[in-house]
Amino acid sequence: MAKRVQARRLDGIDHDPWVEFVKMASEFDAVNLGQGFPDFPPPDFAVEAFQHALSSDFMLNQYTRAFGYPPLTKILASFFGKLLGQEIDPLKNVLVTVGAYGALFTAFQALVEEGDEVIIIEPFFDCYEPMTLMAGGHPVFVTLKPGPTRDGELDSSSNWQLDPTELASKFTSHTKALILNTPNNPVGKVFSKAELELVASLCQQHDVICIADEVYQWLVYDGYQHVSIGEPSQPGCPRFPLDFCGWAPEPNPEVSASPASSDPAQRGFCLPESKMPDLPGDVDEPYDRRFIKWMIKTKMSSHPEKEEKKKWKDLKLMKKLERQRAQEEQAKRQQEEEAAAQREDQGRPYTLSVALPGSILDNAQSPELRTYLAGQIARACTIFCVDEIVVFDEEGQEAKTVEGEFRGVGKKGQACVQLARILQYLECPQYLRKAFFPKHQDLQFAGLLNPLDSPHHMRQDEESEFREGIVVDRPTRPGHGSFVNCGMKKEVKIDKNLEPGLRVTVQLNQKQLPESKTYRGKVVSSQDPRTKAGLYWGYTVRLASCLSAVFAEAPFQDGYDLTIGTSERGSDVASAQLPSFRWV
């Protein structure tokens, strides 16, 4: 076009940081922390009210009052009147807009004229400046400055303060409005009562409108309290400021958008030749107004408030009973499924333990052979599904752990500790070893050993109901579980908050969402794969100071049910009749 396309009032405000941030986050595959991404559903009562409105008489779906639906403005006036301690007229002092953005834009367009100055407190939400410019105003900035902190004290947004002298210097004869955002976006500062009194007194002194953007007034940390500048406790403030939370209480009805702006749409609504009933009123009266009156008299009057409330309560009660019945049926089905699953469990109820003297490693001729012998023991125990390996010391030493450094790791080292350490290393899945086994001389040659290929040693793409994992150090909200590395492409989100670095057994959900960034599962006992699925799930290693400690320190309440000793002079095990047992 030969003519200028873009209006001059848009000059200089074509830069939008959100558009740039979203584009960069997409281009560099970065996490976008600049915007909110709600991950929770709307409350049930809101969904029910919406469904009720849609399913009721469709003839009620008409244009409402230009300033806002009267029942809504009445509730807002009552709510904010109590909050601000003032009387608010629902028909004159409340304007319902399309979000807080719409309220802000409407206010700037209605209040700011060419050449007016608007004081904006920095840092500020990005829309204040372009809205001022679009209205023909001139933004004047005053900066929050961080105050000093004590040694060792963390900086806080409450330390960011206004300089009273600098703020007062920004007020001139051209100042029309000041915009106050508390709690502040982006720093989160909640303005104190003293700061609000300063702003209120300066606005009163210079006859300046205070536009209060308090959209985050309910989001404050414990120990802080949001105070509205519109409360009567602030000396010198107007009856109430322009306040934006998706609707706007207003000090003057003149600020409201004139309903005349919607007249063209109203004149085109419901022409006389449309198939509508005969409407009461004068012939010269606009048809749409006669139609609205007819709606109010005939449709609205047929739904008295008390009757409507009763129907609404009955509907809520019916839905509540239906949900309760559905929950009971679901719980009953779940109990039946769990009972059936218990009956169908093909698990192994018993365990098998083996006790070995650590001195068996002393028979090896070199450190390499000591390691290889320990690997053969681990392999044999895995093949025969041994659940516990007890390494005892024939000389009665009190070693109970493999932690720490020990002298003489070679041929004459502490054989019990070295054997236990290698057994633990081989039992641990390969993807977890780096987290649980730091570099140690006892494991110098363990990397040369053949893998056990135990059922819980799974590859990345291998599917299984259970997996071993480690709780990762990744922040989560309280009560929202933890994340576990189970050696798969995605981490697993579990149902409990656990300390990072803990080894856990995870049962994965049967149904996983392919598009989800994580898998879902729950933490279970390390015995569940054995007792519920019949899987061999590795062995535990226990150190005993002597042979008697093998039995005295057994992890089972009544000790081992059955004990079998090996001897050259014993009878053939195949000819023995074994009694019933659980722990052998």
Side-chain angles (χ1 to χ4, degrees):
M1 292 180 63
K3 296 180 180 179
R4 178 186 175 97
V5 178
Q6 182 171 288
R8 286 185 173 81
R9 62 176 174 271
L10 297 180
D11 291 347
I13 61 172
D14 53 345
H15 173 72
D16 189 329
W18 300 117
V19 174
E20 183 178 354
F21 291 162
V22 171
K23 181 180 178 181
M24 292 180 65
S26 175
E27 181 180 352
F28 296 99
D29 195 21
V31 177
N32 184 2
L33 299 179
Q35 291 175 281
F37 297 93
D39 59 351
F40 51 86
D44 292 340
F45 72 86
V47 175
E48 292 174 5
F50 184 70
Q51 292 173 342
H52 175 70
L54 291 179
S55 60
S56 61
D57 188 355
F58 70 91
M59 290 301 296
L60 297 177
N61 299 328
Q62 309 299 333
Y63 289 104
T64 185
R65 178 175 173 269
F67 302 105
Y69 185 47
L72 175 60
T73 59
K74 183 178 179 182
I75 292 174
L76 294 175
S78 173
F79 176 77
F80 280 97
K82 295 176 183 178
L83 191 67
L84 300 175
Q86 301 183 30
E87 191 70 27
I88 298 179
D89 189 333
L91 300 180
K92 295 182 179 180
N93 301 130
V94 178
L95 172 65
V96 178
T97 67
V98 184
Y101 243 73
L104 283 166
F105 184 81
T106 301
F108 277 96
Q109 291 296 317
L111 298 173
V112 180
E113 295 185 297
E114 191 76 29
D116 284 344
E117 294 180 353
V118 178
I119 298 177
I120 301 175
I121 300 174
E122 293 184 298
F124 58 90
F125 192 55
D126 66 293
C127 73
Y128 300 156
E129 182 181 7
M131 286 185 181
T132 301
L133 294 173
M134 280 196 70
H138 175 64
V140 177
F141 302 102
V142 58
T143 306
L144 288 169
K145 295 182 173 60
T149 57
R150 301 173 184 172
D151 293 340
E153 181 184 15
L154 295 176
D155 193 12
S156 170
S157 62
S158 60
N159 291 335
W160 292 60
Q161 304 288 334
L162 283 170
D163 185 332
T165 304
E166 182 183 4
L167 176 61
S169 68
K170 301 298 181 179
F171 285 81
T172 69
S173 59
H174 299 288
T175 305
K176 183 65 174 292
L178 177 147
I179 183 160
L180 175 70
N181 181 207
T182 178
N184 176 271
N185 182 358
V187 298
K189 172 183 172 57
V190 180
F191 282 79
S192 66
K193 183 177 179 180
E195 291 172 313
L196 296 180
E197 290 176 348
L198 170 65
V199 173
S201 63
L202 288 172
C203 288
Q204 180 71 9
Q205 177 184 346
H206 295 276
D207 196 22
V208 169
I209 298 170
C210 178
I211 302 176
D213 183 357
E214 301 178 349
V215 70
Y216 302 111
Q217 68 184 101
W218 310 113
L219 302 178
V220 293
Y221 288 108
D222 294 341
Y224 292 88
Q225 181 181 4
H226 169 265
V227 179
S228 176
I229 196 171
E231 295 182 18
S233 58
Q234 312 308 324
C237 69
R239 284 178 295 166
F240 41 87
L242 294 177
D243 181 66
F244 301 106
C245 301
W247 38 76
E250 301 168 347
N252 297 300
E254 292 79 7
V255 176
S256 305
S258 172
S261 61
S262 60
D263 279 349
Q266 293 174 354
R267 286 195 296 269
F269 176 67
C270 291
L271 296 177
E273 60 269 17
S274 62
K275 297 179 180 179
M276 296 297 293
D278 293 333
L279 303 180
D282 299 331
V283 179
D284 296 335
E285 188 176 5
Y287 193 84
D288 57 335
R289 297 183 186 178
R290 293 164 60 194
F291 173 78
I292 293 173
K293 291 179 180 179
W294 171 81
M295 286 283 296
I296 294 173
K297 291 179 179 179
T298 59
K299 293 295 183 180
M300 299 297 187
S301 60
S302 64
H303 297 275
E305 185 177 354
K306 291 184 179 179
E307 183 181 348
E308 189 67 21
K309 284 185 177 180
K310 184 177 183 302
K311 290 181 180 180
W312 180 236
K313 287 182 179 179
D314 292 342
L315 180 63
K316 288 185 66 177
L317 179 60
M318 290 296 297
K319 290 189 175 182
K320 182 179 180 181
L321 292 175
E322 290 176 1
R323 285 198 303 268
Q324 185 176 350
R325 189 182 304 112
Q327 291 174 356
E328 292 175 352
E329 292 178 355
Q330 183 179 1
K332 184 178 179 180
R333 285 196 302 269
Q334 187 175 355
Q335 290 177 356
E336 293 175 352
E337 290 174 359
E338 290 177 354
Q342 290 178 357
R343 291 192 299 270
E344 295 174 0
D345 272 348
Q346 303 298 321
R348 174 166 59 92
Y350 64 87
T351 63
L352 175 63
S353 301
V354 170
L356 300 169
S359 60
I360 193 172
L361 291 191
D362 292 335
N363 296 327
Q365 303 300 314
S366 66
E368 293 92 332
L369 292 178
R370 289 166 71 93
T371 303
Y372 185 72
L373 178 57
Q376 286 183 312
I377 295 172
R379 183 65 178 160
C381 289
T382 301
I383 292 173
F384 290 99
C385 298
V386 173
D387 301 292
E388 180 192 34
I389 302 177
V390 187
V391 181
F392 66 91
D393 196 318
E394 294 172 305
E395 298 179 1
Q397 295 186 9
E398 288 293 333
K400 295 292 183 63
T401 175
V402 298
E403 299 297 328
E405 297 291 333
F406 302 93
R407 291 178 300 169
V409 224
K411 180 179 178 181
K412 296 182 180 180
Q414 284 186 284
C416 291
V417 175
Q418 186 179 15
L419 175 58
R421 195 192 308 274
I422 296 174
L423 292 176
Q424 287 184 342
Y425 175 82
L426 291 174
E427 184 277 335
C428 183
Q430 289 91 328
Y431 55 86
L432 297 179
R433 289 175 180 171
K434 185 176 181 180
F436 292 108
F437 293 92
K439 187 177 181 181
H440 196 281
Q441 283 183 296
D442 282 351
L443 304 174
Q444 182 179 0
F445 302 103
L448 302 177
L449 297 176
N450 296 324
L452 298 185
D453 278 337
S454 178
H456 67 299
H457 288 200
M458 298 179 191
R459 290 157 181 82
Q460 187 180 62
D461 298 326
E462 193 171 351
E463 294 184 359
S464 174
E465 181 182 3
F466 300 93
R467 288 190 81 104
E468 289 292 289
I470 180 173
V471 180
V472 298
D473 189 6
R474 180 174 168 185
T476 58
R477 290 182 291 174
H480 285 69
S482 303
F483 292 94
V484 178
N485 175 17
C486 291
M488 298 187 290
K489 293 181 179 180
K490 303 177 184 177
E491 293 178 347
V492 180
K493 189 173 184 180
I494 57 175
D495 55 334
K496 297 180 180 178
N497 285 98
L498 300 176
E499 291 292 329
L502 186 67
R503 177 175 169 177
V504 293
T505 303
V506 176
Q507 184 177 15
L508 298 171
N509 295 352
Q510 291 183 352
K511 295 182 179 180
Q512 302 285 350
L513 297 176
E515 66 275 10
S516 176
K517 294 183 179 179
T518 59
Y519 294 120
R520 296 281 179 166
K522 63 178 181 179
V523 175
V524 297
S525 168
S526 59
Q527 305 300 319
D528 279 12
R530 171 180 62 83
T531 58
K532 294 185 177 180
L535 296 172
Y536 175 64
W537 212 246
Y539 52 77
T540 60
V541 181
R542 177 164 64 92
L543 283 166
S545 58
C546 57
L547 183 58
S548 62
V550 172
F551 303 97
E553 299 172 358
F556 311 108
Q557 185 175 0
D558 299 322
Y560 300 105
D561 297 329
L562 179 64
T563 302
I564 302 175
T566 59
S567 171
E568 296 176 351
R569 300 176 180 83
S571 58
D572 188 356
V573 70
S575 62
Q577 296 293 327
L578 300 181
S580 176
F581 62 88
R582 292 194 66 188
W583 326 116
V584 59

